[in-house]
Amino acid sequence: MQNKEIRLSSRPVGVPLLDNFDIVDTAVPQPKDGEVLVRTLYISVDPYLRGRMRDRRSYVAPFEVGQVIQSGAVGEVIESRSPQFQPGDIVSGMFGWRLYNTANADHLIKVPADLPITTALGVLGMPGLTAYFGLLDIGQPKEGETVAVSGAAGAVGTTVCQIAKIKGCRVIGIAGSDEKNRYLKEELAVDATINYKDGDIRRALKEACPKGIDVYFDNVGGEISDAILPLLNHGARIVICGQISIYNLDQPDIGLRPQPYLLVSSALMKGFIITDYAARFAEGVRQMAQWLSEGKLKYAETIVEGFENTPRAFIGLFSGENLGKQIVKVG
Ligand code: NDP
């Protein structure tokens, strides 16, 4: 068996480039007591990894130059030195971008066999839970309210749109192509969509939200989020989930100052990191799995083939190449 790993070879400036990554041949590691050897099957690429490529303190430590990139992945146990897992078990966890990883068995979750295993990286994994807790806990959508979602056709966004529909809301999805918006309307029953790359976003939002906005689920920040502020209803809630439009900027992006808008609408704006909800993950997975089995929740995935294409799949997040969850199928 030959191992390979993908390292950060230099810190990106602006949008990451393939040159910022190295693919290196390495040895297959040996599991120690309490560990398992896992063959990677699917890798999740996520926008927040861009933040870890900066030499800046944040809620997770930055990657060092030369270090293997790490993200969520699903793999098959090849060898086990833990009673918790047997060879052949499918597990999810945080892994290096490697063909083979060793991992402490306590840090892995067995993936149930009743659903496609990629769901552990998407709708039943970190992005799905982010949608669930962010929308329900902070957004608190009520029947009949208007919920606007940016990044609406991505992994988190598609799930937010559907949960808001389940809660009886009118949902406005904002995404970067007509094809994505068609999916949102035709497959997910989103009430109105806006292609933010096509025309005046302020006017489009005003037309799409004649009764104003009660909940804004913010995946992107920047000018799209600025355009939301004048439309907030009294008591509106803004869920700050992500700010992908600024992840590649080196200088701060100064837009509209939100305070006056929050003041006059008595609105709440709150950020969160999904690990804040770690103690409630089981509840989230249970509810989402139930909605999936009842056909109330759908999911989309964009799957890039080939381990060596992992950096390319990651970079593609910043030009919107994915519909739903972006995943790499290894080998
Ligand atoms: P997505 O699947 O939504 O992929 C990223 C999408 O962002 C792209 O498909 C693209 O869609 C859109 N995008 C890229 N650049 C821009 C831009 N400049 N302006 C507007 N949209 C842009 O990713 P995720 O669902 O995994 O994540 C969505 C957001 O949620 C991210 O900001 C992420 O960091 C955040 N997040 C936060 C978590 C938390 O704990 N708070 C946990 C997980 C994710 P389009 O074609 O529409 O432009």
Side-chain angles (χ1 to χ4, degrees), residues 44-49 59 126-127 130-131 150-158 174-177 180 196-197 217-221 224 240-248 271-275 316-326:
S44 168
V45 291
D46 302 277
Y48 80 91
L49 296 171
Y59 62 96
M126 189 267 283
T130 300
S150 60
V156 174
T158 48
I174 306 163
S177 77
K180 288 184 180 186
Y196 70 90
K197 292 182 180 165
F217 195 101
D218 187 7
N219 281 313
V220 307
I224 294 173
I240 305 292
C241 173
Q243 299 282 293
I244 194 169
S245 75
I246 63 168
Y247 291 174
N248 292 311
F272 74 108
I273 297 298
I274 186 54
T275 45
L317 293 169
F318 300 100
S319 49
E321 282 171 29
N322 60 307
L323 172 70
K325 176 66 197 146
Q326 179 69 71

Side-chain angles (χ1 to χ4, degrees), residues 209-220:
C209 308
K211 293 185 180 169
I213 293 171
D214 301 293
V215 180
Y216 173 47
F217 195 101
D218 187 7
N219 281 313
V220 307

Side-chain angles (χ1 to χ4, degrees), residues 42-85:
Y42 294 96
I43 296 174
S44 168
V45 291
D46 302 277
Y48 80 91
L49 296 171
R50 177 64 181 88
R52 293 196 66 187
M53 293 173 190
R54 276 178 207 284
D55 190 13
R56 192 183 290 169
R57 214 177 132 255
S58 185
Y59 62 96
V60 264
F63 296 120
E64 297 301 329
V65 171
Q67 190 186 346
V68 66
I69 308 289
Q70 197 188 41
S71 68
V74 167
E76 179 187 357
V77 174
I78 300 293
E79 189 184 334
S80 177
R81 294 192 59 187
S82 157
Q84 296 180 62
F85 296 105

Side-chain angles (χ1 to χ4, degrees), residues 247-317:
Y247 291 174
N248 292 311
L249 302 183
D250 282 323
Q251 296 301 321
D253 174 49
I254 306 298
L256 214 53
R257 290 195 166 92
Q259 291 88 338
Y261 298 94
L262 302 181
L263 175 68
V264 298
S265 57
S266 299
L268 170 83
M269 181 187 252
K270 186 178 183 316
F272 74 108
I273 297 298
I274 186 54
T275 45
D276 300 345
Y277 292 95
R280 292 175 58 196
F281 280 178
E283 166 204 327
V285 172
R286 206 167 36 244
Q287 176 62 83
M288 305 277 278
Q290 189 185 329
W291 282 334
L292 276 174
S293 70
E294 292 168 355
K296 291 182 178 164
L297 199 57
K298 297 180 183 175
Y299 62 93
E301 295 171 337
T302 300
I303 299 196
V304 165
E305 304 251 345
F307 175 71
E308 65 286 356
N309 289 321
T310 308
R312 193 184 302 279
F314 167 66
I315 293 166
L317 293 169

